[in-house]
Amino acid sequence: MRKPATALSCLFLIGPLVAFLVLVYVVPFLGVAEWSVTLPTPGVTQYEKLAADPLVFSVFVRTFRICLTVTVATVIAAYAIAYVWVRGTPLQRRIAELCILIPFWISVLTRAFGWLALLSSRGLINTWLIDLGVLGEPLTLVRNELGVVIGMTHYLVPFAVFPLASAMRSLDERIFLAARGMGASRLRIFWSIFVPMTFSGIIGAALIVFVFALGFFVTPAILGGGRSIMVAELIYLRMFQSPDWGLGAAISVTLVVIVGGLLALLFRYARLGNSGLVQ
Amino acid sequence: MTAYRPGPIALAAAILIAIFLLMPLLAVVPISFTPARYLSMPRGSLSLVHYRELFENPDWAQSFFLSIRIGVVSSLAATTLATLFALGIWMFRPRFSAALVGFVLLPMIVPPVVSAMTLYFLLTALSQATGFVGYDTWLGVVLAHVVMIVPFAVVLILVALGQVDRRIDLAARGMGAGVVQRAFRIILPNIKFGLLTAALLSFVLSWEEIGVTLFITSVNAITLPRLMWSGVHDNIDPAIAAISVILIVVTTVILVARMIFAGPSQEKH
């Protein structure tokens, strides 16, 4: 049906990026997958280790626990700010947008450091509380799981805001007018109409946040202080401290499989495949 | 958008979250003026000693210029690849468009640590073939950064293309304009602000990238975030607070300027 010239120019436009990513991303990933079954010796020993080694297993369990906590906290926080970003007055919307976008574009490292400046024993919060006489000893707010959860939630809120805001924007304004006209209170409209109708956005945001949280490295490494190691940090340590590339590769492959499964769920239930990017 | 505005409870919740989002960015400001050598609040006296350190220690300047070079090259390469791809998707709407877009977004979705391991594999393999583009070289970092930032550029350019009226392209086509003419004379001029934004934000992403850079550099290609990482991870150096303040101020200025020029973004993502 198409003219060959059209097909050719289409290929010329789309081809370079696709070819580039296949060559520098897909093929090397297959190499990593190969490492996972060949290093140090051929076989599936690394995967057995993942399932059986209590240390490795406990890191996976901790990662899932932290990711779940972070996901719940992030989605609630993102819902509150996305709500004002979408439904607020023009001024409120501008302020909300800046509060979402400024942290979004600031490096993960700077943001983790900001939390260190706030939460560490000589940080802002402890200094204030001690100066005010509320505390004698500084609280341990960081270099533990609490610090990791705070830092990761902070990092992930903007990522959850985008799908939530797009679900909120797609609602038909007339529904609220109708509900108002029937005498529903503001709270009633929110709980009985707004939240249920944005449920696909909530599921989408939760899955995106969980997926992003799973492979997170910088924030846990800085705010966890090496005490609450997550999967990604385990890969780093296995690669650079006790060279064990096979295990690092096996964990990488496992992560990709988990993420792939979660994304399949996302496309099935949240119907984000039609997010408006392809028109 | 008038019937249903956020009430006082929603506003209070949003204000708390806004404070939560901005707090760590503000916290580094007082810390950066401490006269002490360790991370602490300045008590009584303020000092610029940590800002001076940034200018006096040549490591910072070296990393600064390396990051700029890597950022400019990566951003140009990523924006070019992303523009071609997005144009192809928009103009021809090939079959499997959604799958193709999904495919190029992979590096954004795959856990960064897996991307880091993958790029480590690639660059160590390349190192054996050539010393030019490989592990711990600046071109190696560029290659890795292009992979990591190209999905963001694609999203931004597709969003920009989404605002273009298809009828002007159809008109051009009806008048006999070829693909190249339509792209350069009709479509690209209409999204030039989007392209500029994509290039600028690609630069910012490369400039700040640490998750992957950490895995593929050791002593030669120390970017600014890589240098900051050593300052945060090994010993907490207050110079990090000074550089953080500078980065936060610059990013904020860019975003506010962009918002003033473009108006509030209506339909994002």
Side-chain angles (χ1 to χ4, degrees):
Chain A
M1 206 159 87
R2 285 198 170 113
K3 284 184 292 181
T6 309
L8 200 68
S9 30
C10 180
L11 190 72
F12 176 76
L13 288 171
I14 293 178
L17 180 55
V18 173
F20 174 76
L21 285 179
V22 168
L23 281 178
V24 302
Y25 201 64
V26 178
V27 172
F29 179 74
L30 296 178
V32 170
E34 194 199 333
W35 270 3
S36 74
V37 287
T38 54
L39 291 178
T41 52
V44 290
T45 41
Q46 299 300 350
Y47 290 97
E48 284 166 7
K49 212 192 244 178
L50 277 185
D53 187 333
L55 205 81
V56 178
F57 189 74
S58 75
V59 172
F60 264 90
V61 171
R62 180 187 299 122
T63 305
F64 274 101
R65 188 178 61 227
I66 293 180
C67 287
L68 271 180
T69 318
V70 166
T71 303
V72 173
T74 303
V75 171
I76 293 174
Y79 202 89
I81 193 126
Y83 185 62
V84 171
W85 187 28
V86 172
R87 317 252 6 144
T89 62
L91 179 70
Q92 288 166 359
R93 297 176 59 185
R94 263 184 187 237
I95 296 174
E97 182 168 329
L98 275 180
C99 292
I100 294 160
L101 289 183
I102 291 175
F104 180 71
W105 285 109
I106 284 171
S107 132
V108 56
L109 193 60
T110 310
R111 289 162 70 177
F113 179 74
W115 281 110
L116 217 51
L118 205 59
L119 301 176
S120 67
S121 57
R122 288 203 201 92
L124 221 54
I125 290 185
N126 275 315
T127 308
W128 276 345
L129 290 179
I130 291 172
D131 285 356
L132 287 174
V134 181
L135 290 175
E137 287 283 293
L139 291 171
T140 315
L141 300 168
V142 86
R143 307 223 179 265
N144 56 20
E145 237 172 85
L146 176 70
V148 175
V149 168
I150 293 177
M152 286 179 69
T153 302
H154 184 255
Y155 182 81
L156 289 165
V157 164
F159 290 95
V161 163
F162 298 131
L164 286 173
S166 100
M168 289 176 188
R169 279 196 192 101
S170 67
L171 296 186
D172 189 335
E173 190 68 20
R174 287 168 300 185
I175 298 169
F176 308 117
L177 284 172
R180 209 11 81 94
M182 313 265 284
S185 69
R186 191 194 283 284
L187 213 61
R188 180 85 198 274
I189 297 178
F190 182 75
W191 282 116
S192 309
I193 301 178
F194 200 80
V195 173
M197 288 194 72
T198 50
F199 195 68
S200 73
I202 296 176
I203 296 292
L207 275 164
I208 286 175
V209 168
F210 192 84
V211 162
F212 275 35
L214 266 183
F216 226 66
F217 172 66
V218 173
T219 310
I222 291 173
L223 296 173
R227 250 160 246 152
S228 35
I229 291 178
M230 289 173 66
V231 163
E233 203 176 352
L234 188 66
I235 295 182
Y236 180 77
L237 295 174
R238 283 295 166 272
M239 281 180 67
F240 294 104
Q241 286 191 359
S242 55
D244 185 357
W245 295 344
L247 186 65
I251 300 175
S252 295
V253 172
T254 310
L255 270 182
V256 166
V257 170
I258 295 172
V259 166
L262 289 172
L263 286 180
L265 273 181
L266 178 75
F267 280 98
R268 184 128 179 224
Y269 292 107
R271 278 169 287 149
L272 281 193
N274 242 335
S275 58
L277 284 182
V278 186
Q279 274 141 355
Chain B
M1 288 264 181
T2 46
Y4 185 60
R5 293 259 186 239
I9 304 172
L11 279 182
I15 289 169
L16 281 181
I17 302 303
I19 293 172
F20 169 75
L21 287 174
L22 296 182
M23 213 165 43
L25 311 182
L26 298 175
V28 294
V29 176
I31 302 252
S32 71
F33 293 109
T34 182
R37 294 179 152 277
Y38 48 84
L39 186 72
S40 65
M41 284 288 290
R43 289 171 180 270
S45 62
L46 297 176
S47 153
L48 286 173
V49 63
H50 302 296
Y51 289 88
R52 203 182 309 137
E53 154 84 9
L54 296 179
F55 289 96
E56 283 170 358
N57 187 339
D59 289 353
W60 288 103
Q62 255 173 32
S63 300
F64 176 87
F65 288 114
L66 180 70
S67 277
I68 290 202
R69 183 162 41 144
I70 291 174
V72 168
V73 178
S74 313
S75 154
L76 289 179
T79 310
T80 309
L81 284 171
T83 307
L84 289 177
F85 177 83
L87 269 181
I89 294 285
W90 191 81
M91 288 174 81
F92 297 106
R93 287 189 268 191
R95 261 170 289 172
F96 314 118
S97 280
L100 281 169
V101 172
F103 173 72
V104 302
L105 297 189
L106 273 182
M108 186 162 85
I109 300 159
V110 168
V113 69
V114 176
S115 302
M117 179 117 194
T118 302
L119 291 161
Y120 173 81
F121 180 92
L122 171 77
L123 292 173
T124 46
L126 282 177
S127 282
Q128 282 159 7
T130 159
F132 198 55
V133 188
Y135 180 77
D136 203 20
T137 62
W138 80 274
L139 279 174
V141 178
V142 166
L143 198 64
H145 280 194
V146 172
V147 173
M148 297 308 290
I149 65 187
V150 90
F152 290 90
V154 167
V155 169
L156 288 165
I157 296 171
L158 280 177
V159 169
L161 281 172
Q163 322 274 319
V164 177
D165 189 343
R166 272 191 185 278
R167 284 169 300 185
I168 56 169
D169 182 46
L170 278 175
R173 202 161 129 193
M175 315 261 287
V179 171
V180 176
Q181 216 173 357
R182 278 156 64 202
F184 278 96
R185 305 197 49 180
I186 307 292
I187 305 170
L188 292 181
N190 265 295
I191 56 164
K192 56 175 188 278
F193 189 79
L195 292 178
L196 204 67
T197 304
L200 186 71
L201 296 182
S202 299
F203 174 83
V204 174
L205 284 174
S206 159
W207 167 262
E208 294 180 333
E209 212 292 326
I210 177 66
V212 169
T213 311
L214 202 57
F215 282 71
I216 56 163
T217 57
S218 59
V219 289
N220 291 320
I222 301 295
T223 62
L224 194 64
R226 183 73 164 89
L227 189 64
M228 287 173 69
W229 167 269
S230 330
V232 177
H233 201 244
D234 305 340
N235 60 315
I236 300 173
D237 178 353
I240 303 297
I243 186 81
S244 296
V245 169
I246 296 174
L247 292 178
I248 289 167
V249 169
V250 171
T251 312
T252 307
V253 167
I254 291 175
L255 280 171
V256 172
R258 178 172 163 260
M259 192 185 260
I260 290 169
F261 281 116
S265 55
Q266 299 297 326
E267 291 298 323
K268 261 194 122 167
H269 291 257

